[in-house]
Amino acid sequence: MAEQNATYAPDAAQLEALARAALARIPAPFAAYLTDVVLVIEEFADEETLRDMGFEDPFELTGLYSGRPVGEKEGFLGELPRPDTIHLYRRPLLDEWVDTGVSLEALITHVVVHEVGHHFGLSDDDMHALEDSVG
């Protein structure tokens, strides 16, 4: 029998809801370019991704943007690209949440904005300004 008022770590669906709420707060004109971005929540990045990114510890990677930045899409010829995707890795996110003491909403927003920044090819300073506007 489950304990009454038991507290459990957020599952993938709960993290996705927080990430979608963060995406919904992205201001114009950025928001118009995010309608086709796929959001994927996984427990950890796969071995190939970790190796390609240079990570040995799967807890080091909390999120990843895969796809072509907006500015590189025009005039692209050749093989059809995979959909632009923001990957969020649940277990590393939860670990960072516990370690840092920041709210889970703030952490998810930070990672989502960072990955959106990669979608637009933004600099770190631009990503911080975007994050401040999404807050």
Side-chain angles (χ1 to χ4, degrees), residues 19-117:
R20 291 202 181 282
L23 282 170
R25 293 190 307 274
I26 302 285
F30 299 107
Y33 294 96
L34 297 173
T35 57
D36 294 332
V37 173
V38 176
L39 181 62
V40 176
I41 312 295
E42 300 169 286
E43 289 298 298
F44 290 100
D46 61 44
E47 290 295 324
E48 181 181 358
T49 299
L50 291 169
R51 186 176 51 253
D52 290 349
M53 299 295 298
F55 291 109
E56 291 183 21
D57 182 353
F59 281 95
E60 292 182 73
L61 187 59
T62 57
L64 179 69
Y65 166 78
S66 61
R68 297 178 67 80
V70 171
E72 295 179 17
K73 291 182 187 297
E74 296 301 315
F76 178 74
L77 298 175
E79 182 180 323
L80 290 175
R82 293 186 210 170
D84 296 316
T85 306
I86 294 175
H87 303 263
L88 296 179
Y89 302 112
R90 180 179 168 275
R91 295 284 308 281
L93 283 165
L94 295 178
D95 211 51
E96 186 171 328
W97 173 45
V98 170
D99 286 348
T100 63
V102 301
S103 74
L104 187 57
E105 293 82 358
L107 177 60
I108 297 293
T109 297
H110 170 77
V111 174
V112 166
V113 168
H114 186 84
E115 301 314 326
V116 164

